[in-house]
Amino acid sequence: MGSKLEIVQDVINAFEVNKESMLRTAMLFKETMEKSLNGEKTCLKMLPSYIGKPTGKEQGTFMTIDMGGTNFRCTKYKINNGNFEKVGEIKQKLINKEKNYDLTKSDSDEKQLFGFMAECIGELLEPEESLYLGNTFSFPCRQEGINDAYLIQWTKEITTSGVVGQNINKLLEQSLKEKNINVKPVAILNDTVGTLLVAMYSYQTADIGSIMGTGHNTCYLENNHPLNGQKMIVNIESGNYNVGLPVTKYDEIIDKNSQIPGAQLLEKMVSGYYMGSLLKEVCKDLYKNNALFTNEDVDIDAFFNQNFNALMVENFILYPSNTKEQYKCSIEDAEIVKRVSEAILKRTVRLVAVSHMGILFHQENSGTSVNNEHVIAIDGTIYEKMPNAPQLMKEAFREALGDDASNIEIRLVKDGSGLGAAIAAAFAVTQ
Ligand code: GLC
């Protein structure tokens, strides 16, 4: 066993993704996408959305809902001539400890979950009003039409009973009917698809939409979809990607302790939900090997017995002196925690960039060159809030693709899951 610093360095090296590894994995990602498009069963579900490019002429007032994880949001939008106006919103948590409910776990069922959603919708609806609704439902769904999506499997550690296998908007419609709420679901979409739809309104060449938040996933515009020979947005469900990834022993622990071991491997390596736990595993290992928290005063319990989340990773990077104060550790220790946090974040960004490169290679179909202009729209707190994330992403593209990287613009696009649902609903009723 090496010195303290060598041990730390080894761990940091395990999180590195170099140029060769980026390009190799991106090619594998592309191949996997293409196999799946040709009907082969792979880890990439490549789910059709039944939505193409919006025309820009969508209009009207629409109700939208958005269940992305444990948060639920119901928003009303007015769309007119490419302008969007939010006319009302209710935000709720699906978990409420005081009121003693948790709609995200298996002792709650579909009736409770969709009943809760219907109630929120009812609260936002004016008397005498009747509206169409777009539903952003950010989980893998087998989609058979713009309004028909069946939940394949919960992700992001949600386990509510009675929903898997069901037609989601039918469940919602039933709950709305039971409560006499005059709202009709007409579209259901993934949050990545919503993000891309919103981006398409602003950027001519937007053709990839991605979420880097609690979960991770990407969609893209397929120019010639096998189902209809036309343009269609495809929800890749890239969080489930698992070919050729640089999996560490820490990732294996996270996977083993998760609700569905073996599933959502890329997501477990890159998304906000798991990022804190990953850091905790690394710190535990360093501590065990006497490479971290070696002085006696350190408040080991305070450090390890808390719930690690992505916000903590951000704080460890930004404020090592707070880490020192809070856990009574040395500044060297705080710096090690910072370096490990940075390494985890950098890997996150690089692996996401790798999947985007795989999509670009598929769209361009010319090896590892990217000759046309693309806008990649990203939403989610990891990209938006984590120190330097956009910069790290740019560097990854530049390192892997050289000058071709200048053909790729990455944009933070907010509220795809709200506004995108309104656009999808408008698209559905004006088709
Ligand atoms: C999970 C879901 C996916 C969603 C992503 C981001 O990966 O399976 O559908 O897009 O989280 O919210």
Side-chain angles (χ1 to χ4, degrees):
M1 192 146 293
S3 73
K4 197 170 155 169
L5 278 183
E6 278 166 359
I7 297 174
V8 172
Q9 194 54 50
D10 278 352
V11 166
I12 287 176
N13 291 346
F15 282 89
E16 233 171 62
V17 189
N18 62 21
K19 176 179 170 178
E20 287 67 44
S21 160
M22 281 197 277
L23 287 173
R24 189 174 3 95
T25 317
M27 281 312 277
L28 285 170
F29 190 94
K30 168 193 187 268
E31 282 166 30
T32 314
M33 278 176 75
E34 290 173 354
K35 278 186 190 158
S36 197
L37 278 177
N38 291 330
E40 219 176 287
K41 202 169 167 355
T42 77
C43 57
L44 293 179
K45 296 193 180 69
M46 304 290 283
L47 304 163
S49 68
Y50 294 86
I51 303 177
K53 240 184 144 139
T55 59
K57 298 205 173 79
E58 290 77 15
Q59 54 185 334
T61 300
F62 298 92
M63 188 66 89
T64 70
I65 58 170
D66 167 23
M67 176 183 171
T70 54
N71 292 322
F72 176 72
R73 186 163 67 113
C74 179
T75 315
K76 215 195 294 182
Y77 290 95
K78 209 182 250 172
I79 311 182
N80 191 6
N81 269 335
N83 294 316
F84 309 114
E85 190 191 345
K86 194 189 267 188
V87 280
E89 182 165 67
I90 296 178
K91 287 183 180 172
Q92 294 278 10
K93 292 248 174 250
L94 295 176
I95 307 173
N96 189 324
K97 290 213 172 95
E98 278 125 52
K99 293 193 183 150
N100 203 21
Y101 66 79
D102 182 349
L103 297 170
T104 69
K105 290 290 174 248
S106 56
D107 43 10
S108 293
D109 64 14
E110 80 283 10
K111 286 236 158 352
Q112 290 164 301
L113 178 63
F114 288 89
F116 179 90
M117 293 183 185
E119 253 164 51
C120 292
I121 296 168
E123 272 176 51
L124 204 57
L125 194 72
E126 302 290 333
E128 311 303 319
E129 201 177 23
S130 111
L131 292 175
Y132 290 120
L133 174 143
N135 179 1
T136 300
F137 188 72
S138 306
F139 302 93
C141 288
R142 177 170 55 84
Q143 193 126 4
E144 291 189 350
I146 192 166
N147 198 33
D148 291 300
Y150 300 77
L151 179 63
I152 299 171
Q153 178 181 62
W154 283 121
T155 50
K156 297 176 275 195
E157 308 296 304
I158 298 199
T159 52
T160 316
S161 315
V163 192
V164 172
Q166 301 256 36
N167 183 326
I168 299 303
N169 271 3
K170 281 269 159 0
L171 290 177
L172 179 65
E173 198 172 334
Q174 254 159 24
S175 297
L176 288 164
K177 268 208 187 109
E178 273 162 24
K179 295 183 193 299
N180 286 320
I181 297 165
N182 232 336
V183 168
K184 187 173 163 45
V186 290
I188 181 161
L189 66 160
N190 189 257
D191 50 358
T192 55
V193 177
T195 302
L196 181 52
L197 284 176
V198 173
M200 281 170 164
Y201 259 80
S202 316
Y203 310 107
Q204 263 305 317
T205 56
D207 54 7
I208 296 178
S210 195
I211 300 290
M212 292 177 73
T214 308
H216 166 62
N217 183 19
T218 302
C219 73
Y220 76 105
L221 185 67
E222 175 60 55
N223 279 321
N224 181 10
H225 197 281
L227 271 180
N228 61 0
Q230 290 175 2
K231 286 188 194 300
M232 193 191 293
I233 301 177
V234 175
N235 166 17
I236 300 177
E237 283 296 322
S238 56
N240 196 42
Y241 184 71
N242 62 16
V243 186
L245 292 171
V247 178
T248 66
K249 60 179 178 182
Y250 311 107
D251 298 303
E252 283 166 2
I253 300 173
I254 300 296
D255 182 46
K256 207 176 83 216
N257 294 338
S258 65
Q259 288 286 354
I260 315 180
Q264 299 294 105
L265 195 60
L266 177 62
E267 180 162 76
K268 287 171 189 160
M269 295 171 79
V270 305
S271 83
Y273 189 94
Y274 304 94
M275 194 178 269
S277 316
L278 201 52
L279 175 66
K280 183 173 176 176
E281 288 308 324
V282 176
C283 291
K284 264 165 58 182
D285 193 40
L286 290 176
Y287 175 60
K288 206 177 71 198
N289 289 315
N290 292 322
L292 181 70
F293 300 147
T294 39
N295 64 322
E296 281 180 2
D297 302 336
V298 184
D299 197 343
I300 295 293
D301 288 345
F303 187 82
F304 285 116
N305 291 348
Q306 54 188 331
N307 212 350
F308 274 63
N309 57 28
L311 182 65
M312 289 172 60
V313 179
E314 182 186 350
N315 285 336
F316 288 139
I317 295 177
L318 291 176
Y319 313 111
S321 56
N322 287 0
T323 310
K324 171 180 177 282
E325 294 292 306
Q326 204 171 342
Y327 308 106
K328 304 187 183 63
C329 64
S330 65
I331 192 69
E332 287 76 24
D333 282 337
E335 286 294 336
I336 291 173
V337 177
K338 172 184 159 125
R339 282 181 62 203
V340 175
S341 303
E342 282 173 339
I344 291 176
L345 175 63
K346 187 167 174 191
R347 187 187 72 162
T348 288
V349 171
R350 288 195 161 219
L351 290 180
V352 170
V354 159
S355 70
H356 294 165
M357 284 176 219
I359 300 166
L360 292 165
F361 296 165
H362 163 72
Q363 286 170 322
E364 294 273 328
N365 203 16
S366 65
T368 56
S369 309
V370 178
N371 301 312
N372 299 291
E373 290 186 1
H374 298 261
V375 169
I376 303 177
I378 308 186
D379 197 1
T381 45
I382 301 299
Y383 186 75
E384 190 184 358
K385 302 265 165 64
M386 282 289 182
N388 269 331
Q391 194 52 36
L392 290 168
M393 180 78 86
K394 262 196 171 159
E395 270 168 33
F397 278 106
R398 172 72 44 196
E399 194 177 316
L401 304 178
D403 287 346
D404 282 1
S406 55
N407 288 328
I408 302 159
E409 236 184 282
I410 307 156
R411 295 279 174 182
L412 175 70
V413 170
K414 306 266 295 173
D415 201 22
S417 45
L419 202 47
I423 298 172
F427 184 88
V429 294
T430 52
Q431 260 192 105

